[in-house]
Amino acid sequence: SRSVQENIKLESFADYWGGKPDIDEVTFKVCADTDSVVTSLNSGSIDMMAHLTTTQAKQLGDDYNVVEGTMNLVQGLYLNNSYEQVRQALCYGIDRDEIIDMVSDGKGVKVGSSMFPNFRKYFEPELADKYSYDVDKAKELLAEAGYGDGFSFTITVPANYPQHVDTAQIIAEQLKKIGVTAEINQVEWNTWLDDTYGNRNFDATLVGVDAS
């Protein structure tokens, strides 16, 4: 059964070819408020959570088994091709090492494309260093492009993903150093899907692209 925006309930199938599952029923709950995860775990209203921040994991204590693994997700700042952008300057003006340290406690790998390391055949590690963090180079390119005094643009980010919101805020602070003002527009997920993704109505957006 499925209750929209609430949960999905699954019951075990006794005649499954591999044998009857050990668990009779599983309920996947839709969690709109990620800040309530620790409270929900401690109260017993949920038994496990797929994604926790490092801070949340530390709050759980020794009574819980926290499993850590890799995630096939590439987080990126995506620029709208319909608008004039000084892409190279922005690349030089963003310190990805600082983002990884501050948002993911150093757990992450710099990439230079939308391919992640486990895509071994297509992942090219040398692309990660194509644009180093170089404030002077970024300012130089801005001046060459006619934006010596900088410019302003908007980063639209889904508000229900704290990691993306945090990253957008760090990027905005970093870009101030090259004279660029990034305004952050937080929207609901459905609005992001319809307006940002569907109608391509954005200057820039920050989101994660993942794969199986």
Side-chain angles (χ1 to χ4, degrees), residues 69-204:
T70 59
M71 187 177 185
N72 294 337
L73 181 141
V74 175
Q75 186 188 52
L77 177 70
Y78 298 94
L79 305 176
N80 194 329
N81 291 329
S82 300
Y83 299 121
E84 182 179 348
Q85 301 278 5
V86 278
R87 298 169 181 275
Q88 289 182 321
L90 295 180
C91 285
Y92 282 116
I94 295 175
D95 185 350
R96 290 168 294 162
D97 287 317
E98 182 181 44
I99 293 172
I100 291 173
D101 288 341
M102 295 186 69
V103 176
S104 303
D105 291 325
K107 302 178 189 299
V109 178
K110 286 191 300 184
V111 295
S113 72
S114 291
M115 297 294 144
F116 46 83
N118 283 348
F119 264 157
R120 296 178 183 87
K121 185 176 181 179
Y122 307 102
F123 178 66
E124 297 186 21
E126 62 273 13
L127 291 179
D129 298 319
K130 182 173 178 64
Y131 294 100
S132 58
Y133 178 53
D134 192 331
V135 171
D136 292 335
K137 180 69 173 178
K139 290 180 177 180
E140 178 185 327
L141 291 173
L142 284 172
E144 291 177 0
Y147 295 98
D149 295 327
F151 66 95
S152 298
F153 74 113
T154 301
I155 302 175
T156 301
V157 59
N160 57 314
Y161 285 96
Q163 184 180 20
H164 299 330
V165 175
D166 291 345
T167 299
Q169 291 172 341
I170 295 172
I171 287 176
E173 287 299 314
Q174 291 178 348
L175 293 181
K176 287 180 181 178
K177 298 177 183 178
I178 65 172
V180 172
T181 301
E183 300 175 356
I184 300 173
N185 177 30
Q186 296 188 45
V187 298
E188 295 299 319
W189 178 242
N190 287 336
T191 300
W192 187 92
L193 285 175
D194 292 340
D195 198 34
T196 307
Y197 183 75
N199 293 325
R200 302 294 192 266
N201 183 22
F202 66 98
D203 292 337

Side-chain angles (χ1 to χ4, degrees), residues 53-73:
T53 65
T54 303
T55 301
Q56 290 171 330
K58 289 178 180 177
Q59 291 173 349
L60 292 175
D62 297 330
D63 294 333
Y64 294 86
N65 180 28
V66 180
V67 179
E68 184 177 300
T70 59
M71 187 177 185
N72 294 337
L73 181 141

Side-chain angles (χ1 to χ4, degrees), residues 23-29 36-52 60 63-67:
I23 300 175
D24 293 328
E25 183 181 281
V26 173
T27 299
F28 293 95
K29 294 185 177 181
S36 67
V37 170
V38 174
T39 303
S40 297
L41 285 167
N42 285 328
S43 68
S45 62
I46 62 174
D47 298 306
M48 64 173 64
M49 179 70 183
H51 300 115
L52 295 172
L60 292 175
D63 294 333
Y64 294 86
N65 180 28
V66 180
V67 179

